Amino acid sequence: MAEGISLEQKANFVKVLRREPVDSAYSLAGSNHIGLLTSLPPTTMDCSGIELATTTTGYARFNISDAAAPTFWSTPQNRISYNLQTILFGPAITSWQKVVGVALFGDNTATTALAGGHLNAGITAPENYYLKFAPGQLKIEVTADWKFKSEELAVKQIRALLHNETFSLPNNQVWIGLGTKAPNQSGDIGELTETTAPGYERIPYVCDDTTWTDPAATGSVSNTQEMEFADATENWAAIRSFGIFVNSNDPASDPVPWYHGTLNSEAIVRKFDNIIIPANSLEVSE
C-alpha cells in the first residue's frame, strides 16, 4: 500500500527544504490506526477511500501505539517496510463487505488517512470470522516515481510514517546541480563536470521559510529566490535534468540528490552564457 499520501503528509515531507523538521506520523497525529477499505481512494491526495462500516459489524481500526511503532514494522529496504507483528480485526458480528484496501489513520476518529493503498486481492470476513494479516503480509511501500526522490530520502520518509522517527535537513542549505540525462533508478542525473561543462559547479541555496514557499495548501514548495550558475567558459553539454543535493558541493562525496527531475525542455548553454532558474520555477512535490 501507500500509493497515496494525504495533503497534510505531503506538506510534512517537503517542508524539510524550509529547514523545518519532518514530523513523525505519531507526533503529527498522536498515534496510528490501520483501517480497512471497501473502495479505493479516489485520488492520491484523498487516500481514505470508503471504510468498512463499524455499526453492528464488529469492525474497529487496529491501533499501533507510538511506543510499539519502532518494532512493529521492519527496517525499510528498497523503499518497503513489512509488519513484524500480527494485525487482527474482528470477530465479525455480521458478514463484512469485501475489503480491497487499507489506510493508515492518525487517530481512531480521523476521516482522512495519512496514507492508503490497495490489497493484491479482495478479502471478506464471514460472521464470527477474524480478518488477519500475518507478519510480513502487509507491505508499506513508497510508490512515488523513483525519478523524483532518492532511496535515502524515501527510507527516511517511511521511517517517519511508520517508525515514529523524525528527520531534518543536514545543513542550512542545499546545492543545486544540473544533469545531462533523465535520472535513473539510482538517482544518477549524469551531472555536468568540468570536462562536459567548463566553468560548471553546483550552486548553494540557503533554505528557510522565506526561500521556499509554504507547502500547507498544495503539498509542494517552490523557490522564492533566483538560482544563478556561473558563466560557461566554453560550450556546455545539453542540460536535461536537475538535482537537489543536501550534503556537499562535491559530486564525489555526495553523488545522489535527495530530489531530482527532468527539465521541461533541453537547455543549451554556449560560451559566456549562464543558467538562471527564476523564482517560483523549481517546484518540489510528493
Side-chain angles (χ1 to χ4, degrees):
M1 59 165 280
E3 293 154 328
I5 57 175
S6 67
L7 178 62
E8 180 183 27
Q9 194 63 57
K10 288 173 186 285
N12 180 42
F13 283 158
V14 296
K15 73 179 184 181
V16 70
L17 291 177
R18 290 160 53 94
R19 210 148 39 94
E20 299 174 7
V22 171
D23 297 306
S24 77
Y26 291 85
S27 59
L28 189 69
S31 62
N32 273 354
H33 292 72
I34 297 175
L36 301 177
L37 306 180
T38 58
S39 71
L40 294 179
T43 69
T44 57
M45 283 194 181
D46 177 13
C47 37
S48 304
I50 297 178
E51 191 174 5
L52 189 64
T54 57
T55 306
T56 71
T57 63
Y59 163 72
R61 293 174 181 172
F62 182 88
N63 177 51
I64 304 168
S65 70
D66 56 353
T71 57
F72 193 90
W73 302 100
S74 66
T75 299
Q77 293 185 336
N78 298 320
R79 309 188 184 209
I80 298 172
S81 188
Y82 294 91
N83 61 308
L84 296 175
Q85 301 177 34
T86 298
I87 300 170
L88 189 67
F89 297 90
I93 296 174
T94 59
S95 295
W96 291 354
Q97 289 180 268
K98 180 182 289 187
V99 174
V100 296
V102 291
L104 192 66
F105 294 90
D107 61 52
N108 201 35
T109 59
T111 56
T112 300
L114 299 173
H118 76 282
L119 301 177
N120 289 335
I123 51 178
T124 58
E127 186 176 342
N128 299 321
Y129 184 83
Y130 288 88
L131 197 156
K132 180 174 74 172
F133 294 94
Q137 194 172 1
L138 189 62
K139 177 178 72 174
I140 309 295
E141 179 179 9
V142 173
T143 55
D145 196 322
W146 49 259
K147 294 179 181 178
F148 302 114
K149 73 178 69 170
S150 69
E151 179 75 15
E152 177 189 10
L153 179 57
V155 167
K156 287 180 179 293
Q157 291 177 346
I158 290 177
R159 298 189 73 89
L161 188 65
L162 300 178
H163 293 249
N164 197 23
E165 296 183 9
T166 66
F167 67 94
S168 302
L169 201 65
N171 299 286
N172 66 354
Q173 62 183 6
V174 294
W175 290 266
I176 310 300
L178 301 174
T180 60
K181 64 180 184 180
N184 62 18
Q185 193 161 359
S186 66
D188 178 16
I189 63 172
E191 189 175 7
L192 297 176
T193 65
E194 182 61 29
T195 300
T196 60
Y200 166 78
E201 63 179 358
R202 295 176 185 173
I203 57 170
Y205 187 75
V206 174
C207 292
D208 60 34
D209 59 4
T210 67
T211 58
W212 295 96
T213 57
D214 187 342
T218 62
S220 64
V221 294
S222 298
N223 60 308
T224 64
Q225 311 292 322
E226 275 190 352
M227 301 172 173
E228 183 173 4
F229 289 82
D231 293 349
T233 57
E234 295 291 343
N235 294 346
W236 286 6
I239 300 168
R240 298 182 175 89
S241 57
F242 69 90
I244 300 176
F245 300 85
V246 300
N247 294 308
S248 169
N249 189 39
D250 178 19
S253 63
D254 188 18
V256 180
W258 263 16
Y259 285 107
H260 37 79
T262 54
L263 303 182
N264 290 334
S265 60
E266 180 179 279
I268 303 298
V269 179
R270 304 298 184 190
K271 185 177 180 179
F272 303 133
D273 288 346
N274 73 339
I275 287 282
I276 297 177
I277 301 175
N280 299 308
S281 62
L282 195 157
E283 181 181 1
V284 179
S285 60
E286 288 291 334

